[in-house]
Amino acid sequence: MRVTLLGTGCPVADVHRYGPATLVEAGGETWLIDCGSGVTQRLLAHGSNGAKLTGLLLTHLHSDHVVDFIQLLISGWHQGRAKPLRVYGPRRTREFLGALLEAWRPEFEQRTAHERRGGEGLRVELEEIDGGWTLETPGLRIRNVEVRHPPIPQAFGYRFEERGEDAGTATVSGDTAYCPELIELARGSDLLVHEAFVHWQYAKRQPDPAKQQAMRSYHTATEEVGKVAREAGVGHLALTHWVPLVFDRARVVEDVRTEFHGGLTLGEDLMSFDVVRGHVALARSGVQSHL
Ligand SMILES: [Zn+2]
Ligand SMILES: [Zn+2]
């Protein structure tokens, strides 16, 4: 199993950290989790593309996680996808993507007619799912839980279990505050990809305690995320979805190390991890940043 952090940023635009997106390649399948800003460029930089996706899993409908959906759909069609894009997402995904697709329908119809090309690859095969969902694919078992990201009504974390003797397990948190259900989902995972809120760094530019607390209430502070990894008993913790984007790295490591002494990576865009049972190795170090 290979897990790649395609985008480790948040809604704030940045040249080093693109919008949230993670890729899981395992059992001959390629699953994309979220499609934040710049995801199609990051897929190419990783050596993949939108036509190679087995499917797209959405954690929730916050803009930073879905903003490049149409670009992903259209570029995948240009890259050769001749069948609908499979998408799984929370309640209201149908309403949300339906409105987007409706807005683009005249362009799709005009383009396919004028260029004399089939439009199957511009269609979406959508399934709205709830927490506790399981998908058995030829290569994987994928499960989810509802995580805690209020006031967003429904947000998911996903767990991927590859089949086979030495097969690895990885869990992706999505956006969440400290979440016991996510800890259960992640239990014993070789790799946990978890969001990180660097609240003391955030406080330097946002002095209003009420606004600091509002952010903290639906994210996981760097002091808490080590506790999540320890309680879940994961082998390796990779942090992503950095808020804010620039921070004191040594202090983040200190925060996590008060609770967790397993493998630790402060995620950067295009970092890849090879995951087998009991072992996680950094396969590629990612975009060189100047953080
Ligand atoms: Zn969110
Ligand atoms: Zn987010």
Side-chain angles (χ1 to χ4, degrees):
M1 174 185 288
R2 178 164 287 189
V3 178
T4 302
L5 309 178
L6 293 176
T8 62
C10 60
V12 179
D14 187 75
V15 294
H16 303 296
R17 297 193 186 282
Y18 286 16
T22 304
L23 197 70
V24 175
E25 295 164 288
E29 299 173 24
T30 302
W31 289 92
L32 176 64
I33 302 102
D34 291 334
C35 47
S37 178
V39 66
T40 53
Q41 288 83 357
R42 285 295 195 235
L43 278 168
L44 286 176
H46 172 63
S48 187
N49 68 46
K52 292 182 180 169
L53 300 182
T54 308
L56 168 67
L57 302 164
L58 298 176
T59 62
H60 64 303
L61 300 178
H62 258 157
S63 59
D64 49 324
H65 298 255
V66 293
V67 72
D68 266 12
F69 175 78
I70 290 292
Q71 165 64 3
L72 179 71
L73 181 68
I74 295 174
S75 64
W77 177 69
H78 282 298
Q79 289 155 345
R81 189 185 54 249
K83 56 184 185 185
L85 176 63
R86 278 168 78 188
V87 181
Y88 299 84
R91 284 190 295 273
R92 288 202 57 246
T93 303
R94 188 174 304 284
E95 181 189 340
F96 176 75
L97 294 187
L100 277 180
L101 292 167
E102 184 56 25
W104 285 94
R105 192 167 54 86
E107 134 89 4
F108 290 0
E109 287 177 357
Q110 187 188 57
R111 184 179 288 275
T112 49
H114 182 72
E115 297 180 13
R116 298 168 186 270
R117 297 168 62 186
E120 271 302 281
L122 286 171
R123 286 186 47 239
V124 173
E125 202 174 275
L126 170 69
E127 195 177 324
E128 286 189 350
I129 57 177
D130 282 311
W133 167 83
T134 300
L135 184 68
E136 303 278 355
T137 71
L140 288 166
R141 171 183 292 134
I142 308 174
R143 294 194 281 134
N144 76 346
V145 292
E146 275 196 38
V147 293
R148 301 186 181 192
H149 195 44
I152 282 282
Q154 198 177 35
F156 299 138
Y158 290 98
R159 174 183 174 109
F160 301 83
E161 297 167 17
E162 196 176 4
R163 302 187 194 285
E165 245 174 49
D166 288 331
T169 300
T171 300
V172 177
S173 72
D175 286 12
T176 184
Y178 175 86
C179 178
E181 295 81 10
L182 188 273
I183 291 169
E184 265 321 301
L185 183 75
R187 189 158 304 286
S189 294
D190 301 300
L191 175 67
L192 171 61
V193 176
H194 203 290
E195 68 131 273
F197 175 50
V198 194
H199 68 94
W200 37 261
Q201 197 81 54
Y202 186 77
K204 287 182 183 168
R205 66 157 201 216
Q206 177 49 267
D208 181 341
K211 288 180 178 162
Q212 292 172 20
Q213 184 49 34
M215 282 298 285
R216 192 163 177 168
S217 72
Y218 69 172
H219 290 295
T220 304
T222 45
E223 290 101 326
E224 295 171 315
V225 73
K227 184 170 179 238
V228 173
R230 179 176 57 72
E231 291 180 343
V234 304
H236 195 107
L237 172 65
L239 297 178
T240 188
H241 197 285
W242 294 102
V243 179
L245 295 162
V246 179
F247 47 86
D248 178 342
R249 299 172 69 90
R251 188 168 166 193
V252 168
V253 172
E254 248 174 61
D255 281 355
V256 177
R257 286 301 186 209
T258 58
E259 291 276 355
F260 179 65
H261 301 287
L264 173 63
T265 300
L266 308 191
E268 304 284 347
D269 284 24
L270 291 173
M271 273 184 174
S272 284
F273 301 89
D274 282 333
V275 183
V276 294
R277 183 158 299 162
H279 187 66
V280 173
L282 188 63
R284 190 163 63 182
S285 64
V287 169
Q288 279 305 308
S289 77
H290 307 282
L291 300 175

